[in-house]
Amino acid sequence: MVRLDELQAQVAVRYDNLGLPSWPNPHAGTASPREEEYERVTEPDRYGIVHARARVWADTLGDAPKVDVETLAPAPLDDKGHLGRFDRGVRLTSPRPGTLPLLLLERDAPLSGLEAPLAVLQISVVRPEIALEVLPDCGCDACDWGSDDLLRAIDQTIGYVIGGPIVVLRGKGWHARWHPDGGSSGGTPQGPDHAQIMQLCRGLAGGEDVRLPNGTEVFVGRPWLN
């Protein structure tokens, strides 16, 4: 398979050929959003770019040798239905040993008082509920940092999965993810210390035998690429 930077370049060219909307960061150089922006959604249709970018990634990866692309029917994001549903999606898998399946899940989120829904993309691994990123995270004007910010976040998150290594941990009331460029964790205050869990993730990525909190789900993804 080609290198990650080559894939990203292919995605950028294919996407640019679609001629989709782009807009600058409306908050560049400002201290903070205005109060009225938190209850306003301007041009929700333009957020369709997150679905479009994901589809270009799916097409580009699907052109790679032996990468399998499975179309997913609408379904709940988790077994109990607490997280809502997705409306469309694809599951991409690499033939390389130790890699994690990549899920690109589309939602059409209804907006109060508006006819057009908000396009939402969820990037997950292994199962729909194991989310790495949800974009846009809100959709209101106060949380709008421009189209480039959205596209960059999509490319980076997909890059973490296919470029590898990536480690995802899920425990009771907490979660964490790690990749060579950094990591994040969250959940209840009773969850493990961030610095400690990042160290454990680095050990897992390096193939070490580490001791994790009881009941932790562990997903270690190796690079899809040569």
Side-chain angles (χ1 to χ4, degrees), residues 6-74:
E6 294 173 330
L7 283 173
Q8 290 171 331
Q10 291 177 24
V11 167
V13 170
R14 288 184 173 190
Y15 178 84
D16 287 346
N17 289 337
L18 298 177
L20 295 175
S22 64
W23 63 96
N25 177 2
H27 301 110
T30 60
S32 60
R34 299 186 304 275
E35 189 65 31
E36 63 268 21
E37 291 182 299
Y38 285 98
E39 300 181 0
R40 190 176 69 204
V41 180
T42 302
E43 300 179 57
D45 288 353
R46 64 185 177 176
Y47 284 101
I49 66 171
V50 299
H51 290 174
R53 189 72 162 200
R55 293 171 190 173
V56 171
W57 266 108
D59 290 343
T60 302
L61 290 171
D63 289 341
K66 298 183 180 180
V67 170
D68 182 66
V69 183
E70 176 190 359
T71 300
L72 301 177

Side-chain angles (χ1 to χ4, degrees), residues 107 203 216:
R107 282 188 281 153
T216 302

Side-chain angles (χ1 to χ4, degrees), residues 16-202:
D16 287 346
N17 289 337
L18 298 177
L20 295 175
S22 64
W23 63 96
N25 177 2
H27 301 110
T30 60
S32 60
R34 299 186 304 275
E35 189 65 31
E36 63 268 21
E37 291 182 299
Y38 285 98
E39 300 181 0
R40 190 176 69 204
V41 180
T42 302
E43 300 179 57
D45 288 353
R46 64 185 177 176
Y47 284 101
I49 66 171
V50 299
H51 290 174
R53 189 72 162 200
R55 293 171 190 173
V56 171
W57 266 108
D59 290 343
T60 302
L61 290 171
D63 289 341
K66 298 183 180 180
V67 170
D68 182 66
V69 183
E70 176 190 359
T71 300
L72 301 177
L77 287 164
D78 65 316
D79 290 340
K80 297 181 180 179
H82 294 162
L83 301 178
R85 300 174 60 86
F86 65 90
D87 297 292
R88 294 166 300 280
V90 292
R91 185 177 191 269
L92 300 108
T93 53
S94 166
R96 292 177 65 87
T99 54
L100 297 180
L102 171 67
L103 286 75
L104 304 177
L105 308 173
E106 299 180 10
R107 282 188 281 153
D108 302 320
L111 293 169
S112 178
L114 295 174
E115 292 185 9
L118 180 70
V120 177
L121 172 69
Q122 179 166 313
I123 303 173
S124 300
V125 290
V126 185
R127 305 192 302 267
E129 72 267 25
I130 307 176
L132 301 181
E133 191 68 84
V134 178
L135 298 162
D137 54 0
C138 175
C140 76
D141 289 358
C143 299
D144 180 10
W145 304 107
S147 56
D148 285 349
D149 182 73
L150 288 170
L151 300 181
R152 188 182 308 111
I154 294 169
D155 293 353
Q156 286 181 342
T157 305
I158 293 175
Y160 294 149
V161 178
I162 66 175
I166 186 171
V167 178
V168 180
L169 304 180
R170 286 162 49 90
K172 186 176 181 180
W174 65 274
H175 55 86
R177 75 175 189 185
W178 174 92
H179 47 80
D181 292 336
S184 62
S185 64
T188 62
Q190 292 75 32
D193 173 75
H194 174 76
Q196 175 190 19
I197 208 68
M198 290 297 103
Q199 183 62 35
L200 293 173
C201 286
R202 283 189 287 270

